[in-house]
Amino acid sequence: MKHIARKRFGQHFLSDAAIIDAIVREIAPRPGDAMVEIGPGLAALTQPLVERLGRLTVIELDRDLAQRLRAHGQLDVIESDVLKVDFAALAARLAVPPATALRVVGNLPYNISTPILFHLLDFAHLVADQHFMLQKEVIDRMTAQPATSDYGRLSVMLQWRYAMENVLFVPPESFDPPPRVDSAVVRMVPLVEPPSVDPARLGEIVQVAFSQRRKLLRHSLGKWLEQHEFDGKFETQRRAEEVPVAEYVALAQALAP
């Protein structure tokens, strides 16, 4: 029976064989890798991955799709909302030597891609790399440089922890049904020695800074710093998008709770 894409799950199924091959080449799966696929859907990417890996763990929320996937002898199916998955427990179960860290891949549902990225941020120390297909606009924001319109909260919070690059453009016609946006594939590699910082404090600072991104920081973060009795140096006569990641991190370190 043909599966009808469910709008509430943001389902757009990859169907272009050439694009699938290109994605698999970028991921470069190796036998024995502890790999987890988020949202395998109709297994377009799943099948070529498992053929190279030997075994693959998949996370699928859609009950009907999860049932189909269980019929595949080489898949371990977790039927769950990925936002509820404990990747630390998963790493403990899957990442046995020589696969010492998780490799995470997936065509992420565009309607909840940002929450998924932030959920995985908590487990970055257990991950070797991540390859995700996302709305191109989101990847542009993830990889944006300071002083550009795409640079924002997502840029800072992810660049603090990952080295990222847009590795492949994916047009709408590569999907069934086609989305109304362009897509792309991003490679995310956790930094080996990221700056030591409290993620919650960094997140709070960045959220306050970009809450009024068109105004100078003295109207937002400046007032917040006064409330927290910050007596260090931080230039607030500029906009949030003009502050490099390293300066936000240094400020969070100086204001560690």
Side-chain angles (χ1 to χ4, degrees):
M1 183 185 297
K2 180 177 173 61
H3 181 84
I4 305 300
R6 290 176 175 166
K7 190 173 182 179
R8 67 190 176 101
F9 290 152
Q11 292 177 340
H12 296 278
F13 299 115
L14 194 59
S15 57
D16 186 320
I19 290 291
I20 293 168
D21 287 345
I23 295 171
V24 173
R25 284 197 301 273
E26 291 294 344
I27 295 172
R30 300 174 298 270
D33 282 350
M35 189 169 290
V36 180
E37 183 184 7
I38 297 170
L42 297 176
L45 187 60
T46 310
Q47 186 56 36
L49 286 176
V50 79
E51 287 172 2
R52 291 160 176 77
L53 294 165
R55 193 147 198 95
L56 175 63
T57 297
V58 298
I59 301 169
E60 178 57 63
L61 176 60
D62 188 307
R63 183 186 308 167
D64 293 340
L65 291 176
Q67 185 175 349
R68 287 188 182 203
L69 293 162
R70 287 193 186 94
H72 194 299
Q74 295 170 282
L75 300 179
D76 296 314
V77 182
I78 299 173
E79 185 181 332
S80 173
D81 178 346
V82 66
L83 298 178
K84 297 178 180 178
V85 172
D86 181 347
F87 280 84
L90 201 52
R93 179 161 63 87
L94 297 180
V96 294
T100 56
L102 293 178
R103 304 192 67 196
V104 188
V105 303
N107 174 13
L108 300 189
Y110 292 176
N111 54 348
I112 59 164
S113 58
T114 298
I116 292 173
L117 292 170
F118 276 105
H119 178 59
L120 286 165
L121 188 58
D122 293 336
F123 305 101
H125 61 292
L126 302 171
V127 171
D129 59 19
Q130 298 174 169
H131 290 82
F132 295 133
M133 180 142 50
L134 296 160
Q135 188 173 335
K136 181 181 178 296
E137 178 184 303
V138 174
I139 294 178
D140 288 343
R141 286 163 44 208
M142 293 166 65
T143 59
Q145 294 302 302
T148 64
S149 59
D150 286 327
Y151 184 76
R153 175 173 172 257
L154 192 63
S155 319
V156 176
M157 295 305 296
L158 295 183
Q159 290 178 31
W160 153 65
R161 195 63 184 83
Y162 302 94
M164 297 179 291
E165 60 177 321
N166 181 337
V167 296
L168 184 68
F169 174 75
V170 184
E173 54 269 25
S174 299
F175 299 87
D176 181 22
R180 296 179 180 177
V181 295
D182 289 331
S183 304
V185 176
V186 65
R187 177 182 292 122
M188 307 173 66
V189 180
L191 299 178
V192 177
E193 294 183 0
S196 179
V197 67
D198 176 28
R201 177 47 57 95
L202 177 62
E204 185 180 9
I205 288 170
V206 174
Q207 187 168 14
V208 171
F210 283 95
S211 64
Q212 301 180 58
R213 65 176 297 148
R214 294 180 181 176
K215 295 184 177 181
L216 295 177
L217 282 170
R218 62 186 173 84
H219 297 289
S220 54
L221 189 57
K223 293 181 179 179
W224 185 92
L225 290 172
E226 289 177 8
Q227 293 169 1
H228 286 75
E229 300 179 344
F230 176 67
D231 57 3
K233 291 185 178 180
F234 186 82
E235 178 55 63
T236 59
Q237 287 296 110
R238 52 183 171 169
R239 293 180 174 83
E241 66 188 40
E242 297 176 276
V243 182
V245 174
E247 285 195 45
Y248 281 119
V249 169
L251 185 59
Q253 290 170 329
L255 286 160

